[in-house]
Amino acid sequence: MNTEQEVLKRRLEEIEKRIQAACERSNRKREDVKIIAVTKYVGAETIGDLLAVGVEHIGENRLQDALPKYQQYGDRGIWHFIGHLQTNKAKEVVGRFSYVHSLDRISLAQELNKRGEALNQVVSCFLQINISGEETKFGLSPDDVLAFLQETSNMKHIKIDGLMTMAPVVDNPEEARFVFRGLAEWKDRINEWNFSHAKITELSMGMSSDFEVAIEEGATYIRLGSILVKPE
């Protein structure tokens, strides 16, 4: 184990303690929460080190930065595209990334469906909902969710496995709790509607500054960047 791997291992151990405690507070099973390492600011060698110390899930935000890393390590780990995805870039994501966390408009759904059909595969997506209502955040307005699901219900090559949201940047993580709770409520609401292409089992929410609150509200994927891959 090299020095960088030892550093990552120590950080993971500290994060693990905090995840365990959050799961205990909310009566959840530890295995129901998965860490996505957000690697947009690090090179491919760090991804190799993360995989070596047991991190399975890799999250990338920018396609142009992700593709060289994927070429090197794409056959290892599970890759998530977690950033805003331009419609014309969807063809580069389908077939490489296991999950797209940023489905937020019909044009993107149509393109993902088209690319999935061409590759004869179903694209696993997370519907991004702008719970906080911030204009600076991407995501579907809650008012548009039902219409979106109705319009995508005939797309045979996408399935919506989860929901994703971005919380506001706040000093106190408790101030973000309403966003995470709101997304969990949308999970229940959508499942009650019983769309065949949208069986919601996953919630992608919580980052380095607020992941414990997100876990308490039901997160199944937490997206950790600076707390895990920060410079020493």
Side-chain angles (χ1 to χ4, degrees):
M1 185 176 289
N2 64 34
T3 303
E4 181 60 25
Q5 289 171 9
E6 290 173 355
V7 170
L8 290 172
K9 192 169 183 293
R10 285 200 302 272
R11 290 177 186 158
L12 275 172
E13 288 169 354
E14 290 302 312
I15 291 167
E16 182 62 34
K17 292 175 187 174
R18 294 170 63 181
I19 293 174
Q20 290 275 10
C23 287
E24 288 172 12
R25 287 194 297 273
S26 49
N27 294 313
R28 298 189 62 200
K29 296 178 181 177
R30 169 63 188 91
E31 58 265 29
D32 291 341
V33 181
K34 295 171 281 291
I35 296 170
I36 298 174
V38 179
T39 52
K40 62 181 176 179
Y41 294 127
V42 299
E45 66 281 356
T46 300
I47 293 178
D49 290 331
L50 285 163
L51 292 166
V53 298
V55 174
E56 286 187 289
H57 299 272
I58 304 298
E60 279 284 329
N61 293 62
R62 300 185 184 93
L63 190 62
Q64 65 270 28
D65 297 330
L67 289 179
K69 301 174 190 177
Y70 183 88
Q71 287 174 352
Q72 193 165 347
Y73 291 107
D75 59 342
R76 296 171 58 190
I78 299 167
W79 288 65
H80 301 248
F81 192 84
I82 59 177
H84 181 68
L85 180 58
Q86 294 174 310
T87 302
N88 63 354
K89 300 288 180 62
K91 63 181 181 292
E92 303 288 348
V93 168
V94 177
R96 291 187 172 95
F97 290 82
S98 297
Y99 298 95
V100 177
H101 285 235
S102 47
L103 177 60
D104 63 353
R105 60 198 186 280
I106 290 296
S107 61
L108 180 57
Q110 291 169 332
E111 188 65 17
L112 290 170
N113 185 63
K114 174 183 170 183
R115 296 296 169 181
E117 184 176 13
L119 292 177
N120 193 31
Q121 70 176 71
V122 177
V123 183
S124 294
C125 301
F126 285 50
L127 183 61
Q128 183 174 357
I129 304 177
N130 186 355
I131 299 291
S132 70
E134 292 176 279
E135 293 183 3
T136 55
K137 296 279 194 295
F138 290 108
L140 205 64
S141 165
D143 292 339
D144 297 331
V145 170
L146 178 56
F148 183 92
L149 293 172
Q150 290 170 331
E151 194 165 348
T152 55
S153 62
N154 62 347
M155 298 183 187
K156 304 299 184 188
H157 291 273
I158 62 170
K159 62 174 180 171
I160 301 172
D161 293 319
L163 306 178
M164 187 270 260
T165 200
M166 303 278 290
V169 177
V170 291
D171 292 331
N172 180 1
E174 283 295 328
E175 295 176 33
R177 188 179 292 274
F178 80 98
V179 173
F180 304 137
R181 184 168 294 171
L183 196 70
E185 289 169 354
W186 270 106
K187 173 187 174 184
D188 295 339
R189 192 172 297 133
I190 292 169
N191 284 335
E192 286 175 5
W193 289 336
N194 202 29
F195 284 96
S196 61
H197 72 306
K199 305 293 187 185
I200 309 301
T201 59
E202 309 290 352
L203 292 175
S204 171
M205 58 188 193
M207 300 172 72
S208 292
S209 61
D210 54 23
F211 69 89
E212 290 150 301
V213 174
I215 290 170
E216 291 169 4
E217 295 298 334
T220 62
Y221 283 104
I222 53 174
R223 308 183 301 269
L224 303 185
S226 59
I227 196 174
L228 180 56
V229 292
K230 63 190 175 185
E232 274 290 284

